[in-house]
Amino acid sequence: MKAFMKICLTLLLSVTLVTGFNSEASASTSHTVQYGDTMWKIAMRYKIGTSEIINANPQVDNPNWIYPGQRLNIPTINTVKSVEAQVVDLVNQERAKRGLHPLKANWELSRVARYKSKDMLQNNYFSHTSPTYGSPFTMIRNFGISYRTAGENIAAGQTTAQAVMKAWMNSDGHRKNILSSNYKEIGVGYTKGGNYGHYWTQMFITR
């Protein structure tokens, strides 16, 4: 299937924090609840969303009440995260060539980008505007991430991190986001399947 890309969106916004996929887990690990643990603390430790942990543990009647000694399944998506990390590394290599500061990988932003990629796959669309989440700017805010500046690149069909980065760097608009000095953090979301086989999302922010 021929790969294609959507021209990037860039927008400067001043916003306040707004509160707020099934995980593509290929495996899971086990966590024994300790005194003081909450679902949120466990999620931060394993860098996975609380909703993903809740979905992986249907035996827990009330996620607000977990007890020391309970064993929880923690979804792991190490293969997906490895591909996403490759994209981040390639972005920072391109920035380093031009004397730009590296972007900090933000796992929570990657989670948002992953939801966006999976949403494009599941709902068979290719657009910055999601029928589920709205614009990327609204989506980022609604996932609880505040920012002053934000941007998004999306692509579909490229089979590797190297291929998608080459496609983005050969596009003026996408390259502008990747090399922008306005951004400080990046999240990359990758999912496999659907009509185009591979869906990619980059999200950029400055807090």
Side-chain angles (χ1 to χ4, degrees), residues 14-150:
S14 296
V15 299
T16 55
L17 183 65
V18 179
T19 58
F21 162 146
N22 293 329
S23 172
E24 292 185 347
S26 57
S28 64
T29 189
S30 180
H31 174 83
T32 301
V33 177
Q34 307 295 315
Y35 286 100
D37 272 351
T38 64
M39 284 290 191
W40 182 82
K41 287 182 180 179
I42 296 168
M44 294 301 105
R45 174 177 175 177
Y46 290 97
K47 297 184 177 181
I48 194 78
T50 55
S51 62
E52 286 91 318
I53 297 176
I54 291 169
N55 289 338
N57 291 276
Q59 78 281 7
V60 177
D61 293 330
N62 185 345
N64 294 318
W65 294 95
I66 55 176
Y67 304 95
Q70 277 184 303
R71 295 182 70 84
L72 300 178
N73 295 316
I74 309 298
T76 58
I77 50 174
N78 294 333
T79 300
V80 170
K81 287 183 176 180
S82 176
V83 173
E84 293 167 352
Q86 290 177 45
V87 175
V88 175
D89 288 343
L90 291 169
V91 165
N92 284 330
Q93 288 175 28
E94 293 294 341
R95 294 176 67 87
K97 292 175 186 177
R98 296 157 176 85
L100 297 168
H101 63 77
L103 297 180
K104 179 183 177 182
N106 181 324
W107 76 264
E108 292 176 288
L109 192 61
S110 286
R111 179 174 175 248
V112 182
R114 204 174 297 127
Y115 269 86
K116 175 61 176 288
S117 291
K118 185 151 189 176
D119 190 55
M120 288 192 291
L121 181 158
Q122 291 179 332
N123 291 297
N124 194 28
Y125 74 94
F126 186 76
S127 171
H128 289 293
T129 302
S130 162
T132 308
Y133 302 106
S135 76
F137 314 111
T138 299
M139 185 177 182
I140 293 169
R141 290 197 304 270
N142 286 345
F143 270 77
I145 300 174
S146 60
Y147 63 87
R148 292 185 293 110
T149 306

